[in-house]
């Protein structure tokens, strides 16, 4: 891209300089083993000796107007005989107005910048802040000290400045004459309540006191009053049979596992091992619980909360303090050069430490929020599968879940382990605020301390309050928000309708969502589930913002369980001749079908319209779609092999569910061309990738003409789209998070399973890498940054840097 340059300098002079540097470095290493090497000759000084003229460094590095690898942007650009490179000329758009970068077709201006700039970014020396502050009473042994702020993060059931106050988290609401255990809540308990977590166990006096007895396990269940009717739980009457020692009836709390597995006793089926950290039909085996990054090898996961080793802190114990061993620092902090203050050497007191690390931008600062927003939500959950992308079996081996909300965990963990992470907020380009709203949503009825009584039963309102409290915390404890009014902050809203309910105070920020509804057509709350509606939330709290702003926000792919079967079959590469179905959609089709959801608002009626035209299964009246065709499948009947059926299709429907659904990911991962039918609603990366290159968009009013549109596409166009699908499929997987888990499993129990081996073979950029590339583009191309950007060494040539406003 650039002409070669020759170095005009004296070889003898170069040899003398090299020898001098070697001697100084060795002497310095022995005298000060913990202190970084002195920068005796800066790069700019070296360039004053060896000036590049019409030649090359030999390494392919660009010589840039007004920059070298240390100076960044200068007030007086250096003269350079070469003109600034025109990215428009180097990276022209194709016929579909796309520019390809690392295999993906991006919108032209984005792909052009990434091609010429993202791939050539250089490292920058960043000072990382290693905390050394003390906490009150060192958190009394009941919490972890954040040594950056000097604040305690207390374990479940403890509070106060030094975690010395014991809390009482009741399982039950106050009793009444008719309701001796209070009104229903998931944690309702007629047995023994662990008030540190509001979780129900069999309790003392039973053979297995730590065996869970939650919810319907502990209460009388009335059989149906008519054939086929529902079984109803009486929340006012405890089921004393679970405490019996008579082996012939349901003595859940006293049944020996061997007798239970031998079927020598009748067990109440509503009793099982719901809580995380326990395994087996009778909860007889203790296993790993799920923690963020499993505490990074520097702590113990206690139910969801990382109890960090001395010297470490953070939600995943990944942040070293001055008490840690430098040799154990994470990869994103190595190699480091540190400078120990003389006063600290003499007094032995704790101190903050600066470590110099070479990093590439963008740099992301991840707030270490109090555990109310993360760890406590994980530790207190009453159903182990909720809001996590994995659990652990009796071998402590990973079991991946089907939770669509699992992307929130995946992004969070990848962000914490990323080489783009920084502990220095002054150097950060972006700030990630990690609130696990997926856990708030799924746990809204868990226990009285997470009550929705003040929110009129709306989970959306409860979750809004969590985000607002997180905003208030970072405003109080950190100086970064007001520098840009939050524009450089990032929040993740995994909820079915995305960031619709975001508090007005944070709307300036970038929202990561799965639901890109611009409200241009589908206005207001579109969910069919009343507890998630947000229309009634006061504008004083929510404001009047849309759900999604494509100028600042981003739709991320939903989580899909790592499936070694599909990876082995390589469905995304399946040839055209094996795809006999023209159009395929399998899923809930709303009230037109016997087992569909009863709400007419489900899918905003879009799936129902498609079924009315092209349904391949009889509806309630026994009728097929008006335009049913043999090579078109639109059915609510569960497929025997869903992935194979998609892989046997050319086009696959992408329509909303109750908000977002994972159909886009299903299509891409199986190599099927997505057919998007949802007006005004963006899909993953759609405001950055060129969707015309690999997808088809059909307006909702074109649904009756859907199949005619697809049949009219020529084979060359179809094959071009299929080829692009094959190039981008891995960007819809969270490979980075999966491989982090694979490495942890191998390190902890020496196990590499099939899913890990298959994911290791995947080449190309995954969902997290794509996010980082987009952030890098936004760093230099978001208009508001023209006045907000400070002079920094961004490691880029001038043609990649946005010209600051005067």
């Amino acid at each position: 891209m650039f002409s070669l340059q020759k170095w005009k300098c004296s070889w003898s002079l170069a040899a003398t300089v090299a020898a001098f540097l070697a001697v100084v470095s060795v002497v310095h290493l022995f005298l000060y083993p913990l202190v970084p090497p002195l920068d005796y000759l800066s790069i700019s000084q070296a360039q004053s000796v060896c000036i590049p003229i019409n030649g090359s460094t030999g390494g392919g590095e660009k010589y840039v107007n007004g920059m070298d690898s240390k100076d960044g942007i200068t007030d007086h650009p250096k003269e350079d005989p070469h003109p600034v490179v025109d990215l428009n000329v180097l990276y022209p758009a194709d016929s579909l107005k796309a520019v390809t970068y690392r295999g993906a077709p991006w919108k032209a201006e984005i792909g052009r910048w990434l091609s010429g700039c993202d791939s050539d970014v250089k490292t920058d020396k960043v000072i990382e802040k290693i905390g050394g502050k003390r906490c009150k009473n060192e958190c009394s042994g009941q919490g972890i000290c954040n040594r950056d702020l000097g604040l305690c993060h207390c374990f479940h059931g403890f509070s106060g400045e030094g975690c010395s106050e014991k809390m009482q988290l009741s399982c039950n609401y106050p009793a009444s004459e008719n309701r001796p255990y209070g009104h229903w809540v998931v944690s309702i308990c007629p047995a023994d309540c662990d008030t540190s977590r509001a979780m129900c166990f069999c309790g003392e006096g039973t053979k297995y006191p730590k065996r869970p007895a939650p919810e319907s396990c502990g209460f009388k269940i009335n059989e149906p009053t008519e054939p086929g009717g529902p079984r109803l739980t009486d929340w006012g009457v405890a089921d004393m049979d679970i405490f019996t020692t008579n082996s012939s009836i349901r003595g859940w709390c006293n049944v020996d596992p061997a007798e239970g597995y031998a079927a020598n006793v009748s067990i109440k089926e509503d009793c099982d091992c719901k809580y995380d950290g326990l395994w087996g039909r009778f909860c007889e085996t203790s296993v790993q619980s799920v923690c963020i990054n499993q505490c990074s090898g520097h702590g113990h996961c206690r139910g969801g909360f990382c109890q960090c080793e001395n010297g470490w802190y953070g939600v995943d114990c990944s942040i070293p303090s001055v008490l840690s061993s430098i040799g154990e620092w994470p990869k994103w902090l190595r190699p480091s050069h540190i400078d120990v203050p003389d006063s600290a050497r003499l007094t032995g007191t704790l101190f903050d430490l600066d470590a110099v690390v070479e990093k590439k931008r963008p740099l992301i600062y991840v707030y270490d929020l109090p555990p109310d927003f993360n760890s406590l939500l994980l530790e207190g959950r009453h159903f182990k599968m909720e809001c996590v992308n994995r659990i652990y079996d009796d071998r402590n081996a990973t079991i991946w879940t089907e939770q669509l909300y699992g992307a929130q965990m995946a992004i969070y963990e990848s962000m914490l382990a990323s080489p783009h992470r920084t502990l220095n907020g002054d150097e950060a380009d972006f700030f990630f605020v990690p609130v696990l709203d997926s856990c708030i949503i799924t746990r809204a009825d868990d226990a009285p301390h997470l009550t929705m009584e003040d929110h009129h039963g709306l989970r959306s309102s409860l979750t809004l309050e969590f985000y607002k409290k997180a905003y208030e915390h970072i405003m109080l404890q950190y100086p970064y928000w007001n520098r840009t009014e939050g524009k450089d902050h990032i929040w993740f809203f995994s909820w079915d309708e995305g960031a619709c309910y975001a508090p007005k105070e944070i709307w300036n920020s970038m929202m990561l969502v799965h639901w890109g509804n611009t409200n241009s057509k589908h206005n207001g709350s579109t969910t069919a589930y009343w507890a998630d509606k947000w229309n009634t939330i006061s504008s004083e709290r929510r404001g009047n913002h849309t759900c999604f702003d494509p100028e600042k926000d981003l739709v991320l792919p939903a989580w899909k369980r790592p499936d070694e079967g599909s990876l082995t079959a390589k469905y995304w590469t399946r040839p055209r001749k094996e795809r006999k179905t023209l159009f395929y959609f399998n899923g809930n089709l709303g009230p037109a079908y016997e087992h569909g959801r009863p709400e007419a608002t489900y899918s905003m009626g879009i799936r129902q319209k498609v079924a009315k035209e092209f349904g391949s299964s009889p509806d309630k009246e026994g009728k097929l779609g008006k335009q049913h065709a043999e090579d078109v499948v639109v059915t609510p009947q569960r497929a025997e092999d869903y992935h194979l059926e998609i892989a046997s299709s050319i086009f696959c429907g992408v329509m909303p569910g109750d908000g977002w659904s994972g159909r886009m990911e299903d299509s891409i991962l199986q190599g099927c061309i997505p057919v998007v039918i949802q007006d005004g609603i963006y899909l993953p990366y759609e405001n950055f990738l060129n969707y015309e290159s690999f997808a088809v968009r059909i307006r909702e009013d074109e649904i009756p003409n859907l199949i005619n549109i697809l049949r009219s596409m020529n084979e060359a166009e179809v094959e071009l789209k299929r080829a692009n699908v094959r190039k981008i499929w891995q960007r819809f997987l969270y490979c980075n998070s999966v491989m982090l888990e694979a490495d942890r499993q191998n390190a902890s129990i020496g196990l590499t399973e099939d899913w890990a081996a298959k994911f290791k073979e995947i080449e190309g950029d995954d969902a997290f890498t794509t996010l980082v590339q987009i952030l890098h583009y936004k760093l230099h191309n978001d208009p508001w940054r023209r006045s907000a950007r400070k002079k920094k060494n961004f490691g880029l040539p001038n043609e990649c840097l946005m010209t600051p406003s005067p």
Side-chain angles (χ1 to χ4, degrees):
M1 194 165 74
F2 288 85
S3 62
L4 296 178
Q5 298 177 346
K6 297 179 181 178
W7 288 88
K8 182 180 179 181
C9 61
S10 166
W11 287 108
S12 60
L13 175 59
T16 302
V17 171
F20 173 70
L21 286 173
V23 171
V24 170
S25 297
V26 171
V27 171
H28 187 69
L29 177 64
F30 282 97
L31 288 178
Y32 302 101
L34 289 177
V35 182
L38 298 176
D39 192 5
Y40 290 100
L41 289 177
S42 70
I43 296 177
S44 58
Q45 288 173 321
Q47 287 184 341
S48 70
V49 177
C50 301
I51 303 173
I53 56 169
N54 298 329
S56 171
T57 62
E61 295 186 1
K62 299 178 183 178
Y63 185 84
V64 180
N65 287 338
M67 291 187 64
D68 59 33
S69 59
K70 283 182 68 71
D71 291 338
I73 304 171
T74 62
D75 292 330
H76 304 287
K78 301 174 184 178
E79 293 184 4
D80 179 35
H82 302 291
V84 173
V85 172
D86 189 343
L87 297 178
N88 293 289
V89 174
L90 279 176
Y91 306 103
D94 63 20
S95 60
L96 296 176
K97 299 181 180 180
V99 171
T100 298
Y101 174 61
R102 294 184 62 85
W106 301 77
K107 290 187 175 180
E109 68 277 11
I110 298 167
R112 185 174 293 126
W113 189 92
L114 291 173
S115 297
C117 306
D118 183 72
S119 58
D120 290 330
V121 65
K122 304 299 187 295
T123 59
D124 182 19
K125 289 183 178 178
V126 177
I127 296 175
E128 297 289 356
K129 303 292 186 181
I130 309 301
K133 292 184 175 62
R134 294 188 182 276
C135 288
K136 184 176 181 180
N137 299 329
E138 288 304 290
C139 306
S140 308
Q142 300 295 346
I144 302 300
C145 179
N146 178 317
R147 298 201 178 275
D148 179 36
L149 300 177
L151 295 177
C152 287
H153 289 177
C154 303
F155 298 150
H156 228 317
F158 294 89
S159 65
E161 188 179 352
C163 300
S164 58
E165 301 173 19
K166 192 169 184 178
M167 302 172 68
Q168 293 292 315
L169 304 179
S170 177
C171 292
N172 302 333
Y173 278 109
S176 65
E177 183 177 351
N178 296 327
R179 294 176 170 177
Y181 303 98
H183 64 76
W184 173 85
V185 66
V186 171
S187 61
I188 193 168
C189 180
D192 181 65
C193 179
D194 177 353
T195 56
S196 69
R197 295 179 292 168
M199 301 178 87
C200 186
F201 296 89
C202 287
E204 297 301 323
T206 62
K207 188 174 182 179
Y208 299 100
K210 292 301 180 183
R211 185 174 286 172
E215 210 186 19
S216 54
C217 173
F219 288 88
K220 181 181 179 182
I221 297 177
N222 298 316
E223 295 303 317
T225 57
E226 57 184 39
R231 299 165 71 237
L232 299 176
T233 303
D234 188 340
W235 302 110
V237 180
D239 182 1
M240 303 309 294
D241 283 349
I242 68 169
F243 302 107
T244 184
T245 56
N246 185 331
S247 61
S248 64
I249 57 177
R250 301 181 260 189
W252 168 250
C253 291
N254 294 293
V255 170
D256 185 271
E259 290 186 348
Y261 285 123
N264 292 332
V265 61
S266 176
I267 303 299
K268 185 175 184 179
E269 293 302 319
D270 300 88
C271 297
D272 59 13
C273 207
K274 290 183 173 67
Y275 296 163
D276 198 9
L278 297 169
W279 191 260
R281 176 65 180 84
F282 301 93
C283 313
E284 67 273 17
T285 305
S286 295
V287 300
Q288 277 194 87
S289 297
V290 177
C291 277
I292 303 296
N293 276 329
Q294 296 309 118
C295 309
S296 306
H298 296 294
H300 165 69
C301 180
R302 41 168 291 163
F305 195 121
C306 281
Q307 185 170 352
C308 302
E309 298 170 353
N310 187 38
W312 296 85
Y313 66 99
V315 68
D316 64 340
C317 303
S318 64
I319 308 177
S321 73
V322 295
L323 300 174
S324 65
S325 169
I326 297 173
E328 295 181 355
W329 283 8
K331 291 179 181 179
W332 52 273
L333 281 177
R334 289 187 289 169
S336 299
H337 299 292
I338 65 170
D339 188 7
V340 180
D342 290 338
S343 59
R345 295 178 188 271
L346 296 174
T347 63
T349 58
L350 288 184
F351 54 92
D352 288 338
L353 188 68
D354 288 345
V356 180
V357 186
E358 289 197 358
K359 289 179 173 290
K360 290 184 177 182
R361 294 187 184 271
L363 297 181
I364 306 169
Y365 183 91
V366 183
Y367 284 106
D368 186 39
L369 294 181
D372 310 68
F373 305 103
N374 41 69
S375 300
L376 298 185
L377 291 169
L378 288 174
E379 185 175 0
R381 69 191 195 282
H382 284 65
F383 302 97
K384 65 176 73 174
M385 304 292 273
E386 284 182 340
C387 74
V388 294
N389 58 5
R390 64 182 183 274
I391 58 172
Y392 296 93
D393 66 13
D394 55 348
R395 304 169 298 159
N396 278 329
T398 310
I399 296 179
W400 295 106
T401 75
E402 299 280 1
Q403 277 280 334
L404 293 179
Y405 297 133
Q408 190 164 61
M409 285 277 288
I411 285 290
Y412 193 6
E413 291 183 322
S414 292
M415 197 86 77
L416 290 168
S418 171
H420 292 278
R421 183 184 179 186
T422 180
L423 300 177
N424 187 344
D426 293 326
E427 285 289 345
D429 303 309
F430 294 96
F431 297 82
F432 184 60
V433 192
V435 177
L436 292 184
D437 78 323
S438 59
C439 287
I440 304 169
I441 292 165
T442 55
R443 291 197 50 202
D445 288 314
D446 261 11
H449 68 280
L450 287 175
T451 179
M452 291 194 294
E453 288 189 336
D454 295 334
H455 299 277
H456 309 289
L458 294 176
R459 303 191 304 183
S460 51
S461 177
L462 172 68
T463 312
L464 180 154
E465 203 62 30
F466 268 80
Y467 278 98
K468 187 174 180 181
K469 288 178 180 177
Y471 158 78
E472 291 170 347
H473 172 78
I474 63 177
M475 284 286 287
L476 178 66
Q477 298 296 339
Y478 298 90
Y480 308 125
W481 180 273
N482 285 335
R483 295 179 183 180
T484 64
E485 296 181 325
K487 291 186 179 73
D488 52 6
H489 282 54
I490 303 171
W491 308 72
F492 197 153
F493 285 76
S494 66
W495 182 57
D496 287 1
E497 289 199 298
C500 302
Y501 64 88
K504 63 182 181 181
E505 289 85 356
I506 71 171
W507 188 246
N508 274 342
S509 300
M510 179 183 183
M511 308 297 173
L512 303 180
V513 298
H514 297 311
W515 179 244
N517 187 3
T518 61
N519 303 114
S520 59
K521 176 175 180 178
H522 298 285
N523 296 316
S525 183
T526 59
T527 178
Y529 182 49
W530 69 269
D532 286 347
K533 291 185 180 296
W534 48 268
N535 288 342
T536 57
I537 296 177
S538 167
S539 60
E540 288 298 311
R541 301 175 64 214
R542 196 193 78 87
N544 292 306
H545 59 73
T546 61
C547 294
F548 180 80
D549 181 352
E551 294 300 315
K552 67 180 183 67
D553 302 333
L554 180 68
V555 181
L556 289 179
W559 169 260
K560 290 296 177 179
R561 181 180 64 84
D563 181 8
E564 60 268 25
S566 293
L567 291 178
T568 300
K570 295 185 177 180
Y571 282 149
W572 66 94
T573 67
R574 204 157 195 242
R576 173 72 173 79
K577 64 182 180 181
E578 296 181 25
R579 296 178 181 267
K580 306 298 184 182
T581 301
L582 175 69
F583 178 83
Y584 181 85
F585 184 83
N586 184 322
N588 194 318
L589 296 175
Y593 289 80
E594 184 177 357
H595 301 293
R597 287 185 66 139
E599 301 91 343
T601 54
Y602 179 72
S603 188
M604 298 173 290
I606 296 172
R607 294 189 186 185
Q608 294 90 316
K609 292 177 184 177
V610 173
K612 184 177 180 181
E613 295 291 334
F614 308 105
S616 55
S617 297
D619 61 13
K620 290 181 179 180
E621 298 175 355
K623 296 179 180 179
L624 298 177
K626 291 187 294 184
Q627 301 185 59
H628 169 61
E630 290 300 320
D631 59 351
V632 174
V633 175
V634 177
T635 179
Q637 296 176 358
R638 184 174 294 275
E640 291 186 9
D641 192 332
Y642 177 61
H643 290 164
L644 178 58
E645 292 199 12
I646 295 177
S648 301
S649 306
I650 303 170
F651 297 99
C652 292
V654 175
M655 295 167 269
D658 193 21
W660 62 270
S661 75
R663 302 313 174 117
M664 182 69 183
E665 294 79 358
D666 291 338
S667 300
I668 292 287
L669 295 177
Q670 272 47 255
C672 189
I673 299 171
V675 179
V676 181
I677 312 174
Q678 46 187 52
D679 295 353
I681 300 170
Y682 281 71
L683 283 158
Y685 315 127
E686 192 171 357
N687 43 340
F688 289 89
L689 293 182
N690 188 325
Y691 260 53
E692 190 177 352
S693 298
F694 60 86
V696 178
R697 255 201 182 268
I698 302 292
R699 295 195 315 271
E700 292 171 28
D701 61 10
E702 294 179 309
I703 287 175
N705 202 32
L706 167 63
I707 300 305
N708 291 332
I709 293 173
L710 299 182
R711 292 196 195 281
S712 68
M713 294 179 64
N714 64 58
E715 197 65 23
E717 187 178 359
V718 171
E719 283 307 301
L720 176 60
K721 290 182 184 294
R722 290 190 60 243
N724 282 320
V725 168
R726 291 195 296 270
K727 292 176 182 177
I728 65 168
W729 68 277
Q730 73 278 2
R731 291 180 184 268
F732 289 76
L733 280 178
Y734 290 89
C735 303
N736 183 275
S737 175
V738 172
M739 291 313 299
L740 286 173
E741 177 68 5
D743 291 343
R744 288 192 293 264
Q745 183 167 284
N746 183 266
S748 61
I749 60 176
L751 179 64
T752 299
E753 296 195 279
D754 289 344
W755 58 263
K758 289 299 178 184
F759 266 76
K760 191 173 183 179
E761 295 173 0
I762 295 176
E763 297 179 353
D765 301 330
D766 79 330
F768 179 70
T769 305
T770 305
L771 169 61
V772 172
Q773 290 166 355
I774 290 171
L775 291 179
H776 196 200
Y777 173 82
K778 288 175 69 66
L779 172 61
H780 296 289
N781 294 278
D782 271 355
W784 65 266
R785 289 187 181 269
R786 290 176 180 168
S787 58
R789 195 181 73 195
K790 295 182 178 179
K791 291 182 179 179
K792 295 178 181 178
N793 179 9
F794 290 101
L796 291 173
N798 272 0
E799 62 266 22
C800 297
L801 295 168
M802 184 174 53
T803 304
S805 297

